Structure formats: C-alpha cells, structure tokens
Amino acid sequence: MTNLLLPVLIAVVVVTIGRITLGNSLNGASKRLLRSIAATLKRTKELSTIRCTKAPSAHTLLEIGQSLDMYELVLLRIDDVGKNKQAKLVGSELAALTNSSLVQTLGHTALLYKPSYSHRYSVVAAMMHADTQPKQ
C-alpha cells in the first residue's frame, strides 16, 4: 500500500512548489493561502508558537530555525516591543536571520514561512494541494 502512495506524495510536493514563490518574497495569493493554512493549523494545535524578545538570543534563533525546518510555518510572539511597527521590524529581521519569509505581522505576532526540503511530505504542501483541488 505504501508503494501506491509514494507517487501521489511526490506529485503533491511537485505541484505545490509552483504555487508558492520560493525565496524571501511571497506574492499576495501565496501569503493569503499561508495565512489560511496557519489559521487551520492553529485551530488544530499543530502550529508551532515561539515567544521571543526584541533582541533574541542565539538559542532562540536556533529554536526558530529548527521549528521552521520541521514545521515550515512558525508563529512568533514578540515581547518587549512598544509599538506594532517595532514588531514588524523585529519580525522582518528575524525572517532575514533565519532565511525565511515574513508572511504577516498582526499586533505583536509574526508569522514566518520557510519551505522545507528535508521532508518528503509536508503538512503545508498537502493543505495547499487540497485547497487548490476543485470542489465536487
């Protein structure tokens, strides 16, 4: 049975790579889709949430990097910032440090995305593929 599923899983990943632009710039449709996936993952408690400060330590950066490699989407709660504009600046700096893309900042919360190449099958890719399928 697993031999039958492997081509389908590979097809899911190949199809979805064309849907999201790789690199640090995401287009509006990709951001909207990732925000939708993050909301779904948050409801099912599968979204990794990390608390960090304005000046994160090396340990926090390592934790963010590992979470991005494993889950692709990470929600950051940024403490020690007075204004929402500062949270956006900290989020974009963390995205640059972790080589990921900043999807959204909302209040003191930032959503980061980094496509994972280490896993053959990702939850984000599967959800994106399911979202693009026509409804019957």
Side-chain angles (χ1 to χ4, degrees):
M1 177 138 186
T2 53
N3 292 339
L4 297 174
L5 289 177
L6 187 59
V8 174
L9 298 179
I10 292 172
V12 168
V13 173
V14 169
V15 167
T16 52
I17 285 177
R19 295 266 309 151
I20 286 195
T21 57
L22 302 178
N24 287 337
S25 62
L26 295 171
N27 61 17
S30 298
K31 287 183 179 183
R32 187 177 336 116
L33 187 58
L34 287 170
R35 285 193 305 261
S36 170
I37 291 169
T40 303
L41 292 175
K42 190 174 178 181
R43 279 195 305 268
T44 60
K45 308 281 193 248
E46 295 177 18
L47 185 63
S48 177
T49 304
I50 299 173
R51 295 188 78 89
C52 66
T53 59
K54 187 168 35 173
S57 65
H59 176 70
T60 305
L61 287 174
L62 182 65
E63 184 182 358
I64 293 170
Q66 288 174 345
S67 294
L68 281 168
D69 288 340
M70 187 176 296
Y71 300 113
E72 295 182 315
L73 277 173
V74 174
L75 193 67
L76 298 176
R77 305 273 185 194
I78 304 169
D79 298 331
D80 283 348
V81 290
K83 306 244 180 202
N84 294 345
K85 289 181 183 179
Q86 288 178 338
K88 188 171 188 172
L89 288 174
V90 171
S92 60
E93 288 174 8
L94 287 172
L97 287 172
T98 58
N99 198 21
S100 60
S101 299
L102 179 65
V103 177
Q104 177 185 27
T105 55
L106 189 61
H108 292 178
T109 305
L111 181 66
L112 298 181
Y113 170 72
K114 182 179 178 183
S116 175
Y117 301 107
S118 61
H119 301 294
R120 291 184 115 167
Y121 176 71
S122 75
V123 174
V124 174
M127 293 182 86
M128 289 173 51
H129 182 67
D131 195 36
T132 59
Q133 294 301 312
K135 307 280 188 233
Q136 292 182 351

